[in-house]
Amino acid sequence: MKTQKHMTRSNTLLITLLITFTGVTGCGGSDDDGDFNNTDCNNWSEHYLAQANAYSEATNAYASEPTLANCQNYKTAGLNFIDALEDVIDCVPNANRQEFLDDIEEYRDEINATDCN
């Protein structure tokens, strides 16, 4: 039951981060305004979507079968997803950047706190 509660919270945080990131980058204005690196931010979703999918799959595997291997895969996939979000942080408008970084750190702490023993 503890694992299921943790997975539900993790999924909620994952969804919140994705919605937040989509919201703050989806309406960034003109690509010519100098706020973003046009090459990287025009396709920002490609940078983290594969990691988000891998994390979602690892979360589901761990929730359905809470083994040591699935737990370790869950943690690794979660940290990879966070790394991918950090890779596109320059695409987040400055006004939203600190809040986004705070959410990422909270999420990283939660993943790191997962006890696989």
Side-chain angles (χ1 to χ4, degrees):
M1 185 59 77
K2 183 178 175 184
T3 300
Q4 188 63 32
K5 183 178 179 182
H6 182 72
M7 293 298 104
T8 302
R9 183 163 180 206
S10 293
N11 283 338
T12 301
L13 281 170
L14 171 69
I15 291 167
T16 301
L17 279 173
L18 288 173
I19 290 171
T20 301
F21 194 71
T22 301
V24 298
T25 60
C27 298
S30 170
D31 287 338
D32 297 328
D33 61 10
D35 289 343
F36 301 119
N37 178 329
N38 292 334
T39 303
D40 294 332
C41 294
N42 285 334
N43 60 351
W44 56 267
S45 62
E46 292 175 20
H47 292 283
Y48 76 86
L49 205 52
Q51 296 300 328
N53 288 334
Y55 180 55
S56 179
E57 290 171 10
T59 300
N60 291 334
Y62 182 48
S64 65
E65 190 177 337
T67 64
L68 177 61
N70 282 345
C71 181
Q72 291 169 336
N73 288 339
Y74 160 75
K75 288 179 77 168
T76 299
L79 293 173
N80 288 342
F81 171 61
I82 289 171
D83 290 343
L85 288 173
E86 288 177 332
D87 286 346
V88 294
I89 195 67
D90 289 339
C91 299
V92 177
N94 287 334
N96 303 93
R97 190 169 294 168
Q98 188 58 51
E99 180 182 344
F100 189 72
L101 287 170
D102 292 344
D103 289 344
I104 287 174
E105 284 309 309
E106 179 183 337
Y107 201 39
R108 183 190 311 278
D109 290 345
E110 182 172 323
I111 290 170
N112 284 326
T114 301
D115 184 13
C116 289
N117 296 322

